[in-house]
Amino acid sequence: MRHISKLPDVGTTIFTVMGALAKKHHAINLAQGFPDFKMDENLIDLVTSAMQNGHNQYAPMQGDLGLREAIAKKFDLLYGTSYHPENEITITTGATQAIFSIISAFIKPNDEVIIFRPAYDCYEPTIALNGGKTVSVALESPNFKVDWNEVKSKINSRTKMMVINTPQNPIGTVFSEADMRQLQQLTIGTDIIILSDEVYEHMVFDGEKHQSACLFPDLKSRSFIVASFGKTFHNTGWKMGYCCAPQPLMSELRKVHQFNVFSVNHPMQKALAAYLQNENRYLELSAFYQQKRDLFLSLIKDSRFKFTPSKGTYFQLLDYSGITQENDVDFAKRLTVENKLTSIPISVFYDTKIESKMLRFCFAKKDETLKQAAEILNQI
Protein backbone atom coordinates (compact mmCIF):
# COMPACT_ATOMS: atom_id res chain seq x y z
CA MET A 1 0.00 0.00 0.00
CA ARG A 2 1.35 3.42 -0.95
CA HIS A 3 0.64 6.42 1.17
CA ILE A 4 2.06 9.87 1.79
CA SER A 5 2.85 10.67 5.42
CA LYS A 6 1.32 13.84 6.82
CA LEU A 7 4.26 14.00 9.24
CA PRO A 8 7.22 12.75 7.18
CA ASP A 9 9.84 14.30 9.45
CA VAL A 10 8.39 13.09 12.75
CA GLY A 11 9.92 10.06 14.40
CA THR A 12 9.86 8.65 17.91
CA THR A 13 9.96 11.43 20.50
CA ILE A 14 13.08 12.03 22.54
CA PHE A 15 11.08 11.19 25.67
CA THR A 16 10.35 7.70 24.39
CA VAL A 17 13.94 7.22 23.23
CA MET A 18 15.51 8.29 26.52
CA GLY A 19 12.87 6.53 28.60
CA ALA A 20 13.57 3.23 26.82
CA LEU A 21 17.31 3.74 27.21
CA ALA A 22 16.89 4.41 30.93
CA LYS A 23 14.85 1.25 31.35
CA LYS A 24 17.34 -0.86 29.36
CA HIS A 25 20.33 0.32 31.40
CA HIS A 26 18.54 0.56 34.78
CA ALA A 27 19.33 4.28 35.01
CA ILE A 28 17.84 6.87 37.32
CA ASN A 29 15.30 8.59 35.06
CA LEU A 30 15.34 12.38 35.45
CA ALA A 31 14.35 12.74 31.81
CA GLN A 32 10.59 12.53 31.71
CA GLY A 33 8.50 14.98 33.68
CA PHE A 34 6.71 12.78 36.16
CA PRO A 35 7.07 12.41 39.94
CA ASP A 36 8.37 9.21 41.54
CA PHE A 37 6.58 9.98 44.80
CA LYS A 38 2.98 9.16 45.69
CA MET A 39 0.05 11.43 45.04
CA ASP A 40 -2.36 12.38 47.82
CA GLU A 41 -4.32 9.36 49.05
CA ASN A 42 -7.26 11.70 49.72
CA LEU A 43 -7.65 12.30 46.00
CA ILE A 44 -7.58 8.58 45.30
CA ASP A 45 -10.28 8.08 47.95
CA LEU A 46 -12.40 10.76 46.27
CA VAL A 47 -12.19 8.91 42.94
CA THR A 48 -13.18 5.66 44.64
CA SER A 49 -16.12 7.40 46.28
CA ALA A 50 -17.24 8.88 42.96
CA MET A 51 -17.15 5.45 41.34
CA GLN A 52 -19.10 3.89 44.21
CA ASN A 53 -21.67 6.70 43.93
CA GLY A 54 -22.36 5.77 40.32
CA HIS A 55 -20.42 8.37 38.30
CA ASN A 56 -19.20 5.78 35.82
CA GLN A 57 -20.95 6.81 32.61
CA TYR A 58 -20.25 9.67 30.21
CA ALA A 59 -19.59 13.05 31.77
CA PRO A 60 -21.02 16.11 30.01
CA MET A 61 -19.06 16.95 26.86
CA GLN A 62 -17.90 20.27 28.36
CA GLY A 63 -16.92 18.60 31.61
CA ASP A 64 -18.52 18.14 35.01
CA LEU A 65 -20.18 21.41 36.00
CA GLY A 66 -18.94 21.21 39.58
CA LEU A 67 -15.36 20.95 38.36
CA ARG A 68 -15.81 23.85 35.95
CA GLU A 69 -17.23 25.94 38.80
CA ALA A 70 -14.22 25.05 40.98
CA ILE A 71 -11.86 26.14 38.18
CA ALA A 72 -13.72 29.43 37.79
CA LYS A 73 -13.38 30.00 41.54
CA LYS A 74 -9.64 29.26 41.35
CA PHE A 75 -9.10 31.87 38.63
CA ASP A 76 -11.00 34.44 40.66
CA LEU A 77 -8.88 33.67 43.73
CA LEU A 78 -5.50 33.68 41.96
CA TYR A 79 -5.94 36.29 39.27
CA GLY A 80 -8.98 38.38 40.18
CA THR A 81 -10.63 37.39 36.94
CA SER A 82 -12.72 34.43 35.95
CA TYR A 83 -14.38 32.43 33.20
CA HIS A 84 -18.04 31.44 32.98
CA PRO A 85 -18.25 27.76 33.92
CA GLU A 86 -21.02 27.09 31.39
CA ASN A 87 -19.41 28.34 28.20
CA GLU A 88 -15.80 29.37 28.85
CA ILE A 89 -14.22 26.29 30.50
CA THR A 90 -13.79 22.81 28.99
CA ILE A 91 -12.29 19.73 30.68
CA THR A 92 -9.85 17.84 28.45
CA THR A 93 -7.86 14.62 28.33
CA GLY A 94 -4.71 16.29 29.54
CA ALA A 95 -3.21 19.54 28.33
CA THR A 96 -1.87 18.01 25.11
CA GLN A 97 -5.36 17.13 23.90
CA ALA A 98 -6.46 20.68 24.65
CA ILE A 99 -3.53 22.04 22.61
CA PHE A 100 -4.29 19.66 19.73
CA SER A 101 -7.96 20.61 19.68
CA ILE A 102 -7.32 24.36 19.89
CA ILE A 103 -4.88 24.33 16.98
CA SER A 104 -7.15 22.03 14.97
CA ALA A 105 -10.13 24.33 15.55
CA PHE A 106 -8.45 27.39 14.04
CA ILE A 107 -5.44 26.60 11.86
CA LYS A 108 -6.06 26.15 8.15
CA PRO A 109 -3.60 25.49 5.30
CA ASN A 110 -0.98 28.25 4.99
CA ASP A 111 -1.87 29.88 8.31
CA GLU A 112 1.25 30.79 10.30
CA VAL A 113 1.77 30.04 13.99
CA ILE A 114 4.60 31.66 15.95
CA ILE A 115 6.23 29.53 18.64
CA PHE A 116 9.19 30.14 20.95
CA ARG A 117 12.02 27.60 20.90
CA PRO A 118 13.12 25.48 22.65
CA ALA A 119 9.47 24.41 22.57
CA TYR A 120 7.41 21.56 23.94
CA ASP A 121 7.30 19.02 21.14
CA CYS A 122 3.55 18.71 20.46
CA TYR A 123 3.04 22.19 18.98
CA GLU A 124 4.71 21.85 15.58
CA PRO A 125 3.31 18.43 14.54
CA THR A 126 -0.22 19.59 15.31
CA ILE A 127 0.28 22.75 13.26
CA ALA A 128 1.61 20.63 10.38
CA LEU A 129 -1.31 18.17 10.54
CA ASN A 130 -3.65 21.08 9.95
CA GLY A 131 -1.65 22.47 7.03
CA GLY A 132 -0.21 25.39 8.96
CA LYS A 133 3.32 26.72 8.99
CA THR A 134 5.40 27.00 12.16
CA VAL A 135 7.36 30.24 12.48
CA SER A 136 10.06 29.95 15.14
CA VAL A 137 11.55 32.53 17.46
CA ALA A 138 14.69 31.08 19.03
CA LEU A 139 15.51 31.83 22.67
CA GLU A 140 19.22 31.45 23.23
CA SER A 141 21.12 30.42 26.33
CA PRO A 142 22.05 31.38 28.91
CA ASN A 143 19.23 33.88 29.48
CA PHE A 144 16.59 32.70 26.98
CA LYS A 145 15.07 36.18 26.76
CA VAL A 146 12.46 37.06 24.13
CA ASP A 147 13.49 39.59 21.48
CA TRP A 148 10.12 41.24 20.94
CA ASN A 149 11.42 43.17 17.94
CA GLU A 150 12.12 39.84 16.26
CA VAL A 151 8.62 38.66 17.16
CA LYS A 152 7.17 41.83 15.64
CA SER A 153 9.15 41.28 12.42
CA LYS A 154 7.57 37.82 12.02
CA ILE A 155 3.97 38.93 12.37
CA ASN A 156 2.17 39.35 9.05
CA SER A 157 -1.26 38.92 7.49
CA ARG A 158 -0.91 35.12 7.59
CA THR A 159 -0.17 35.00 11.34
CA LYS A 160 -3.16 33.23 12.87
CA MET A 161 -1.85 32.17 16.27
CA MET A 162 1.01 32.52 18.72
CA VAL A 163 1.87 29.80 21.24
CA ILE A 164 3.50 30.83 24.50
CA ASN A 165 4.52 28.61 27.40
CA THR A 166 5.11 30.12 30.81
CA PRO A 167 6.67 28.75 32.94
CA GLN A 168 8.45 27.30 29.93
CA ASN A 169 9.26 23.66 29.35
CA PRO A 170 12.05 22.66 28.79
CA ILE A 171 14.09 25.63 30.01
CA GLY A 172 12.42 26.64 33.27
CA THR A 173 12.08 30.36 32.47
CA VAL A 174 9.02 32.54 33.08
CA PHE A 175 7.52 35.41 31.11
CA SER A 176 7.68 38.65 33.07
CA GLU A 177 4.89 41.20 33.32
CA ALA A 178 6.85 43.31 30.80
CA ASP A 179 6.92 40.34 28.40
CA MET A 180 3.18 39.89 28.64
CA ARG A 181 2.55 43.59 28.08
CA GLN A 182 4.78 43.49 25.02
CA LEU A 183 2.80 40.53 23.73
CA GLN A 184 -0.46 42.34 24.39
CA GLN A 185 0.75 45.45 22.61
CA LEU A 186 1.90 43.47 19.55
CA THR A 187 -1.44 41.74 19.13
CA ILE A 188 -3.87 44.58 19.89
CA GLY A 189 -5.96 45.31 16.83
CA THR A 190 -5.17 41.97 15.20
CA ASP A 191 -7.06 38.67 14.90
CA ILE A 192 -4.13 36.70 16.33
CA ILE A 193 -5.16 34.00 18.81
CA ILE A 194 -2.87 33.34 21.78
CA LEU A 195 -2.50 29.77 23.00
CA SER A 196 -1.04 30.19 26.47
CA ASP A 197 0.32 26.90 27.77
CA GLU A 198 0.32 27.41 31.56
CA VAL A 199 0.54 23.83 32.81
CA TYR A 200 3.28 24.77 35.31
CA GLU A 201 1.44 27.81 36.69
CA HIS A 202 1.78 26.55 40.28
CA MET A 203 5.53 26.02 40.05
CA VAL A 204 7.06 29.52 40.10
CA PHE A 205 9.99 30.23 42.39
CA ASP A 206 11.97 32.91 44.22
CA GLY A 207 8.99 35.14 44.89
CA GLU A 208 8.09 35.52 41.22
CA LYS A 209 4.42 35.74 40.26
CA HIS A 210 2.93 33.70 37.46
CA GLN A 211 1.89 36.11 34.72
CA SER A 212 -1.18 34.42 33.31
CA ALA A 213 -2.59 35.70 30.04
CA CYS A 214 -5.88 36.29 31.84
CA LEU A 215 -4.32 39.12 33.89
CA PHE A 216 -4.12 41.33 30.78
CA PRO A 217 -7.57 42.30 29.42
CA ASP A 218 -6.82 42.39 25.71
CA LEU A 219 -4.75 39.22 25.90
CA LYS A 220 -7.55 37.48 27.78
CA SER A 221 -10.00 38.43 25.05
CA ARG A 222 -7.95 36.54 22.43
CA SER A 223 -6.37 33.76 24.52
CA PHE A 224 -6.83 30.13 25.38
CA ILE A 225 -5.27 29.18 28.71
CA VAL A 226 -4.29 25.51 28.94
CA ALA A 227 -3.70 23.83 32.30
CA SER A 228 -2.95 20.37 33.69
CA PHE A 229 -4.26 18.60 36.77
CA GLY A 230 -1.74 15.82 36.14
CA LYS A 231 1.19 18.21 36.54
CA THR A 232 -0.41 19.99 39.49
CA PHE A 233 -1.48 17.00 41.57
CA HIS A 234 1.35 14.53 40.81
CA ASN A 235 -0.70 12.12 38.69
CA THR A 236 0.43 12.56 35.09
CA GLY A 237 -0.97 9.15 34.18
CA TRP A 238 -4.50 10.40 34.74
CA LYS A 239 -4.27 12.68 31.68
CA MET A 240 -6.61 15.31 33.10
CA GLY A 241 -6.49 18.94 32.01
CA TYR A 242 -8.64 21.86 30.98
CA CYS A 243 -8.70 25.03 28.96
CA CYS A 244 -10.33 28.42 29.39
CA ALA A 245 -11.23 31.07 26.80
CA PRO A 246 -13.87 33.67 25.99
CA GLN A 247 -17.10 32.12 24.72
CA PRO A 248 -16.61 32.88 20.99
CA LEU A 249 -13.27 31.04 21.01
CA MET A 250 -14.43 28.24 23.30
CA SER A 251 -17.44 27.44 21.12
CA GLU A 252 -15.08 26.68 18.23
CA LEU A 253 -12.84 24.53 20.42
CA ARG A 254 -15.82 22.46 21.54
CA LYS A 255 -16.74 21.69 17.93
CA VAL A 256 -13.45 19.79 17.69
CA HIS A 257 -13.42 18.48 21.25
CA GLN A 258 -16.80 16.74 20.90
CA PHE A 259 -15.55 14.67 17.96
CA ASN A 260 -12.06 14.14 19.34
CA VAL A 261 -12.65 12.67 22.80
CA PHE A 262 -16.22 13.92 23.49
CA SER A 263 -15.91 13.61 27.24
CA VAL A 264 -13.32 12.94 29.93
CA ASN A 265 -13.04 10.46 32.82
CA HIS A 266 -16.12 11.12 34.94
CA PRO A 267 -15.18 9.89 38.45
CA MET A 268 -11.85 11.72 38.28
CA GLN A 269 -13.68 14.93 37.45
CA LYS A 270 -15.96 14.49 40.44
CA ALA A 271 -12.95 13.86 42.65
CA LEU A 272 -11.03 16.89 41.39
CA ALA A 273 -14.07 19.14 41.91
CA ALA A 274 -14.11 18.19 45.60
CA TYR A 275 -10.33 18.27 45.95
CA LEU A 276 -10.07 21.84 44.60
CA GLN A 277 -12.24 23.15 47.41
CA ASN A 278 -9.08 23.33 49.54
CA GLU A 279 -7.00 25.96 47.73
CA ASN A 280 -3.87 25.12 49.75
CA ARG A 281 -3.54 22.00 47.63
CA TYR A 282 -2.28 24.16 44.77
CA LEU A 283 -1.15 27.29 46.64
CA GLU A 284 1.58 25.32 48.47
CA LEU A 285 3.09 23.76 45.34
CA SER A 286 5.61 26.49 44.53
CA ALA A 287 7.25 26.16 47.94
CA PHE A 288 7.15 22.36 47.69
CA TYR A 289 8.97 22.31 44.35
CA GLN A 290 11.36 25.13 45.22
CA GLN A 291 12.57 23.02 48.13
CA LYS A 292 13.31 20.19 45.72
CA ARG A 293 15.06 22.50 43.25
CA ASP A 294 17.16 24.01 46.03
CA LEU A 295 18.07 20.58 47.40
CA PHE A 296 19.14 19.31 43.98
CA LEU A 297 21.25 22.39 43.22
CA SER A 298 22.85 22.44 46.68
CA LEU A 299 23.91 18.82 46.21
CA ILE A 300 25.65 19.54 42.88
CA LYS A 301 27.06 22.99 43.61
CA ASP A 302 30.62 21.63 43.64
CA SER A 303 30.22 19.55 40.48
CA ARG A 304 31.62 20.53 37.08
CA PHE A 305 28.14 21.37 35.79
CA LYS A 306 27.11 25.02 35.62
CA PHE A 307 23.56 26.25 36.14
CA THR A 308 21.20 29.15 36.60
CA PRO A 309 18.42 28.17 39.03
CA SER A 310 15.16 27.37 37.28
CA LYS A 311 12.51 30.06 37.73
CA GLY A 312 9.59 27.73 37.14
CA THR A 313 8.41 24.21 36.12
CA TYR A 314 10.05 21.20 37.76
CA PHE A 315 12.97 21.12 35.34
CA GLN A 316 16.54 22.31 35.76
CA LEU A 317 19.05 22.91 32.95
CA LEU A 318 22.67 21.93 33.55
CA ASP A 319 25.47 23.27 31.35
CA TYR A 320 28.17 20.65 30.72
CA SER A 321 30.44 22.77 28.47
CA GLY A 322 33.22 22.54 31.05
CA ILE A 323 33.17 18.74 30.91
CA THR A 324 33.02 17.71 27.24
CA GLN A 325 32.40 19.14 23.77
CA GLU A 326 30.15 16.24 22.74
CA ASN A 327 26.79 17.21 21.31
CA ASP A 328 24.01 17.01 23.85
CA VAL A 329 22.22 13.99 22.37
CA ASP A 330 25.39 11.89 22.45
CA PHE A 331 26.31 13.06 25.94
CA ALA A 332 22.79 12.38 27.27
CA LYS A 333 22.93 8.84 25.88
CA ARG A 334 26.43 8.22 27.24
CA LEU A 335 25.38 9.54 30.65
CA THR A 336 22.57 7.00 30.65
CA VAL A 337 24.61 4.03 29.47
CA GLU A 338 27.83 4.64 31.40
CA ASN A 339 26.68 6.58 34.46
CA LYS A 340 23.10 5.31 34.83
CA LEU A 341 21.50 8.76 34.87
CA THR A 342 19.03 9.89 32.21
CA SER A 343 18.23 13.45 31.10
CA ILE A 344 16.86 15.21 28.02
CA PRO A 345 19.11 17.05 25.52
CA ILE A 346 17.91 20.58 24.76
CA SER A 347 18.86 20.74 21.07
CA VAL A 348 15.94 18.47 20.11
CA PHE A 349 13.51 21.27 20.98
CA TYR A 350 14.88 23.54 18.24
CA ASP A 351 14.25 23.37 14.47
CA THR A 352 17.82 24.37 13.60
CA LYS A 353 21.11 22.84 14.62
CA ILE A 354 22.44 24.39 17.82
CA GLU A 355 25.30 23.61 20.14
CA SER A 356 23.52 24.05 23.45
CA LYS A 357 25.77 21.91 25.70
CA MET A 358 22.77 21.70 28.03
CA LEU A 359 20.72 18.86 29.48
CA ARG A 360 17.33 19.03 31.19
CA PHE A 361 16.81 17.22 34.48
CA CYS A 362 13.47 16.71 36.25
CA PHE A 363 13.56 17.37 40.00
CA ALA A 364 9.98 16.22 40.70
CA LYS A 365 11.47 13.26 42.53
CA LYS A 366 11.86 11.92 46.04
CA ASP A 367 14.75 13.48 47.95
CA GLU A 368 16.43 10.07 47.94
CA THR A 369 16.33 9.98 44.14
CA LEU A 370 17.77 13.49 43.86
CA LYS A 371 20.61 12.56 46.23
CA GLN A 372 21.45 9.48 44.18
CA ALA A 373 21.43 11.54 40.97
CA ALA A 374 23.64 14.21 42.56
CA GLU A 375 26.22 11.59 43.56
CA ILE A 376 26.52 10.59 39.92
CA LEU A 377 26.75 14.18 38.66
CA ASN A 378 29.45 15.00 41.21
CA GLN A 379 31.61 12.16 39.90
CA ILE A 380 31.56 13.31 36.27
Side-chain angles (χ1 to χ4, degrees), residues 54-72:
H55 299 291
N56 300 304
Q57 309 307 325
Y58 293 123
M61 180 271 287
Q62 308 93 324
D64 177 76
L65 180 59
L67 179 54
R68 287 181 280 141
E69 289 173 339
I71 292 167

Side-chain angles (χ1 to χ4, degrees), residues 16-29 336-337 340 342:
T16 300
V17 170
M18 297 307 295
L21 202 62
K23 185 175 182 180
K24 178 180 178 180
H25 293 278
H26 307 288
I28 297 172
N29 190 350
T336 300
V337 174
K340 312 303 181 189
T342 307

Side-chain angles (χ1 to χ4, degrees), residues 190-202:
T190 73
D191 294 323
I192 297 172
I193 297 166
I194 305 299
L195 195 169
S196 187
D197 180 348
E198 302 184 16
V199 302
Y200 298 99
E201 64 176 317
H202 300 301

Side-chain angles (χ1 to χ4, degrees), residues 1 9 163 326 337:
M1 181 185 296
D9 299 321
V163 182
E326 289 172 90
V337 174

Side-chain angles (χ1 to χ4, degrees), residues 205 289 292-293 313-316 361-365 370:
F205 313 133
Y289 276 115
K292 291 194 172 292
R293 181 206 67 175
T313 74
Y314 46 48
F315 302 115
Q316 176 64 51
F361 294 81
C362 175
F363 54 80
K365 307 295 178 182
L370 295 176

Side-chain angles (χ1 to χ4, degrees), residues 99-117:
I99 291 166
F100 186 94
S101 297
I102 292 164
I103 293 172
S104 297
F106 293 96
I107 299 305
K108 302 183 297 296
N110 301 315
D111 284 344
E112 294 186 359
V113 181
I114 295 174
I115 70 172
F116 297 88
R117 293 188 184 273

Side-chain angles (χ1 to χ4, degrees), residues 195-220:
L195 195 169
S196 187
D197 180 348
E198 302 184 16
V199 302
Y200 298 99
E201 64 176 317
H202 300 301
M203 301 166 207
V204 180
F205 313 133
D206 304 320
E208 297 276 356
K209 180 182 178 183
H210 172 58
Q211 299 295 329
S212 174
C214 70
L215 288 168
F216 306 87
D218 189 79
L219 275 185
K220 183 182 178 184

